[in-house]
Amino acid sequence: SQGADWWRGAVIYQIYPRSFMDSNGDGIGDLKGVIDKLDYIASLNVDAIWLSPFFTSPMKDFGYDISSYRDVDPMFGTLEDFDRLVEAAHARGLKVTIDQVMSHTSDQHAWFEESRQSRDNPKADWYVWADPKPDGAPPTNWQSVFGGSAWQWDTRRCQYYLHNFLASQPDLNFRTPAVVDAMLEEVRFWLERGVDGFRLDAVNFCTHGELKDNPPRQEIIESFLGVRPDNPYGYQLHQYDKTQPENLLFLERLRALLDEYPGTTSVGEVGDDDALGVMAEYSQGGKRLHMCYSFNLLTDKADPGYLHETLTEMEARIGDGWPCWALGNHDVTRLATRWQAQGQLDKLRLYMVFLLSQRGSVCLYQGEELGLPEAELTFEQLVDPAGITFWPAYKGRDGCRTPHPWQADSRHAGFSRATPWLPVPEAHASLAVDQQEQDADSLLNAYRAFLAFRRTQPALVKGDVRYHPVRDEVLCLERTYQQTRLLVALNFSDQTVTRPAPEGAEALGDAPKWLNGEWQAGTLTLPPFGVAIARCP
Ligand code: TEU
Ligand code: CA
């Protein structure tokens, strides 16, 4: 849908540029490669793309460590390539959103190089610097998401600096007004270039709190990196290091800037113990972010009870805010593997319809439409620092970042003429785009068909939602928009189930045929992992 609120209910296709398409044969995907494949993306019937970072970067965290916000890394192309990409995407009716990493820069950013020179240079307070404790220990017990203390000693300045992620990703100090001003100018640069919005990396990490120790936590929770007994990050309550109330002031300034460019949007990435609460707080009231997404559906729990609980809680708390949901991204084990659906078309379609029927916008991660399983890599093949640190308890994020398979019979599945930066798993060849395009019953064609169907159903795109209690592993929800009420029934079990069907419920004529529930004589019959959508009077 067009109009300034196109993002409500939009489907956003996430591209990890390094792994999408390599146009110049250096083994690394690039912006020209994305341009070459825009027809493919448009053919999926998605509304927008989100490009993971392509900015100048030493690539310690594969682009999430930015050394210049206003340029394209030569590895990915040039600013002219980016302009062409925006133009070509717009010509196909696709909006373009980009990844804005504001919480931290690379340690090779000129701002940090200046900041670390002395305690009194003009950028001395642009990062979070602090003196050691009297015994030389770091200022607080804060932990880095990627392991170890969040404080790194700097021999030049003889102080510690804060890094919530890698030591090569120093945290910007959003309590310094000049930092906020400078960051907003970086955002404006891309708005002026015509982007339609931003995915905001780790947005609740921007503003740090008082330099006090985080309290310990009793119950160890699962983070997106999985349960890691060896990572103390999960052993503390993150009371002071992230999600501070002052961060709202920054979000409000950012929103005021975005509002100068009507039709732009923002989706904040929130990693927090109470991510649902933060999603609500950050997206309510029309003066902070447009929407947020979290890791709540990115766990390994494909359990309808858990999903129901999460989604109903979100509905209860979100108010006039707007959620965005994802079942996959570049940080977590691929969906097909995580939810144990590898090679199982019915399950994969169930998960697709589950995701695309929720109230909210949706991010689809490249390869999800192909049902790619997680790549199995050896320790020697790893390049993700998080994987290298925590192997073997946690194997890192490389397994979901391998190249997109385009052609089954080409070298490297048609991704590149050269050896790619990560190998294309053999198991991905038979799932390549060209194979699935030839097969009318493929998952790829199911995505295309369901996304096309969804566009014809305003109730699925922007309707209100009401959940039925889960019984026999069947999750039912109603989406209502104006006079239309759709009932979506999702069978998460491997059994055929029956349900009393509401009076007058009838299948939709134009729905894909694998929406295979039967509505008859007051009864809905759903095959194992079956899905049905009916119109109710
Ligand atoms: O991830 C952010 C992130 O890791 C946290 O929000 C995390 O979910 C939470 O703390 C878990 O408890 C983003 C990017 O998606 C990732 O690829 C980057 O490595 C990271 O930021 C650093 O930029
Ligand atoms: Ca390339």
Side-chain angles (χ1 to χ4, degrees):
S1 75
Q2 297 304 314
D5 71 344
W6 64 269
W7 50 272
R8 275 184 204 272
V11 180
I12 305 165
Y13 186 76
Q14 182 193 353
I15 299 171
Y16 195 68
R18 261 185 111 78
S19 299
F20 198 55
M21 182 66 199
D22 174 21
S23 73
N24 65 345
D26 64 355
I28 297 170
D30 43 56
L31 295 186
K32 279 194 176 129
V34 175
I35 296 173
D36 290 344
K37 294 298 184 186
L38 282 173
D39 284 331
Y40 169 77
I41 298 167
S43 81
L44 299 173
N45 302 313
V46 298
D47 304 299
I49 58 172
W50 144 27
L51 291 161
S52 273
F54 51 80
F55 315 99
T56 317
S57 167
M59 303 289 166
K60 298 280 165 50
D61 192 20
F62 300 99
Y64 283 90
D65 49 324
I66 295 172
S67 54
S68 167
Y69 284 101
R70 299 196 189 195
D71 213 342
V72 174
D73 195 278
M75 179 183 281
F76 293 126
T78 63
L79 274 175
E80 288 64 45
D81 293 333
F82 180 78
D83 292 342
R84 279 211 301 126
L85 195 163
V86 172
E87 204 187 336
H90 286 168
R92 288 163 178 79
L94 293 167
K95 304 284 184 185
V96 178
T97 66
I98 63 174
D99 217 313
Q100 193 77 24
V101 187
M102 301 187 285
S103 144
H104 45 271
T105 68
S106 159
D107 59 351
Q108 293 177 40
H109 194 294
W111 296 345
F112 187 71
E113 282 171 353
E114 190 177 339
S115 187
R116 81 193 318 182
Q117 298 294 323
S118 64
R119 297 179 187 213
D120 55 9
N121 70 76
K123 295 202 168 52
D125 296 328
W126 279 43
Y127 293 81
V128 186
W129 294 97
D131 289 326
K133 288 191 171 154
D135 65 354
T140 67
N141 68 352
W142 301 355
Q143 296 293 307
S144 143
V145 174
F146 293 146
S149 170
W151 295 98
Q152 174 71 30
W153 179 252
D154 186 68
T155 46
R156 182 70 152 279
R157 216 171 120 148
C158 293
Q159 275 187 310
Y160 282 98
Y161 67 84
L162 178 66
H163 62 91
N164 282 300
F165 297 94
L166 298 174
S168 55
Q169 292 170 301
D171 259 64
L172 279 164
N173 186 354
F174 278 70
R175 293 178 178 272
T176 300
V179 168
V180 175
D181 293 342
M183 188 52 73
L184 293 175
E185 285 312 301
E186 306 299 40
V187 173
R188 188 188 291 279
F189 174 85
W190 294 100
L191 288 166
E192 286 292 326
R193 281 202 115 78
V195 304
D196 302 294
F198 301 90
R199 177 266 190 187
L200 307 170
D201 188 72
V203 72
N204 56 319
F205 285 80
C206 287
T207 312
H208 65 285
E210 281 181 87
L211 301 189
K212 291 183 173 170
D213 280 355
N214 280 330
R217 68 180 310 145
Q218 305 311 327
E219 185 200 354
I220 308 304
I221 50 128
E222 204 174 312
S223 81
F224 88 109
L225 297 177
V227 179
R228 292 194 314 264
D230 52 345
N231 186 1
Y233 190 83
Y235 287 74
Q236 43 185 240
L237 292 168
H238 295 278
Q239 193 173 330
Y240 298 110
D241 52 352
K242 62 181 180 185
T243 324
Q244 300 299 304
E246 292 85 349
N247 203 41
L248 298 171
L249 303 175
F250 164 61
L251 300 182
E252 286 164 15
R253 286 203 54 198
L254 175 63
R255 178 57 177 265
L257 171 60
L258 294 177
D259 284 347
E260 290 179 36
Y261 297 81
T264 57
T265 195
S266 53
V267 47
E269 181 215 23
V270 169
D272 195 82
D273 293 349
D274 181 26
L276 299 179
V278 181
M279 284 170 75
E281 187 179 39
Y282 279 20
S283 69
Q284 277 169 0
K287 60 181 179 140
R288 294 166 187 164
L289 302 181
H290 297 77
M291 45 187 167
C292 284
Y293 87 97
S294 68
F295 287 79
N296 293 64
L297 301 186
L298 292 164
T299 72
D300 57 8
K301 286 179 264 189
D303 159 34
Y306 168 76
L307 300 173
H308 176 267
E309 187 189 329
T310 303
L311 293 161
T312 49
E313 184 185 338
M314 184 78 278
E315 276 308 303
R317 298 178 72 179
I318 193 101
D320 69 353
W322 191 258
C324 181
W325 299 110
L327 296 182
N329 68 18
H330 64 293
D331 288 331
V332 300
T333 304
R334 280 197 177 274
L335 173 65
T337 303
R338 221 178 60 243
W339 283 13
Q340 298 177 22
Q342 190 165 341
Q344 290 172 261
L345 195 57
D346 48 3
K347 270 195 186 182
L348 292 167
R349 281 193 308 234
L350 167 74
Y351 300 155
M352 166 183 72
V353 178
F354 160 73
L355 176 65
L356 291 165
S357 318
Q358 303 310 320
R359 178 175 174 274
S361 302
V362 164
C363 291
L364 288 181
Y365 178 51
Q366 68 178 56
E368 205 169 312
E369 76 281 18
L370 303 176
L372 298 184
E374 181 83 350
E376 284 180 32
L377 301 169
T378 64
F379 180 77
E380 285 67 31
Q381 288 172 317
L382 299 190
V383 290
D384 174 21
I388 293 168
T389 302
F390 294 112
W391 180 278
Y394 170 66
K395 297 193 167 65
R397 301 168 293 177
D398 298 309
C400 66
R401 297 176 176 179
T402 56
H404 202 68
W406 296 99
Q407 291 143 8
D409 299 326
S410 301
R411 262 174 74 89
H412 313 303
F415 165 74
S416 175
R417 317 193 274 281
T419 304
W421 72 287
L422 282 174
V424 181
E426 238 167 80
H428 286 194
S430 61
L431 297 170
V433 172
D434 68 341
Q435 300 298 297
Q436 299 208 34
E437 286 192 325
Q438 289 163 26
D439 175 2
D441 296 325
S442 66
L443 185 68
L444 172 60
N445 281 320
Y447 267 91
R448 286 173 167 161
F450 191 75
L451 285 163
F453 167 71
R454 184 179 180 275
R455 276 188 175 162
T456 67
Q457 303 295 326
L460 289 181
V461 178
K462 50 190 169 186
D464 291 338
V465 69
R466 197 173 70 79
Y467 293 91
H468 297 196
V470 174
R471 249 196 325 122
D472 305 330
E473 294 185 69
V474 177
L475 178 61
C476 287
L477 55 133
E478 289 172 27
R479 300 292 308 275
T480 311
Y481 184 72
Q482 295 172 353
Q483 303 315 317
T484 311
R485 183 159 64 106
L486 297 184
L487 176 66
V488 183
L490 304 152
N491 180 7
F492 281 76
S493 82
D494 57 5
Q495 306 290 315
T496 297
V497 296
T498 56
R499 275 276 176 289
E503 190 89 27
E506 52 178 30
L508 297 162
D510 45 355
K513 68 173 185 334
W514 46 262
L515 283 173
N516 47 13
E518 267 182 61
W519 306 89
Q520 239 170 25
T523 305
L524 164 67
T525 308
L526 277 173
F529 307 115
V531 195
I533 300 186
R535 195 191 319 269
C536 304

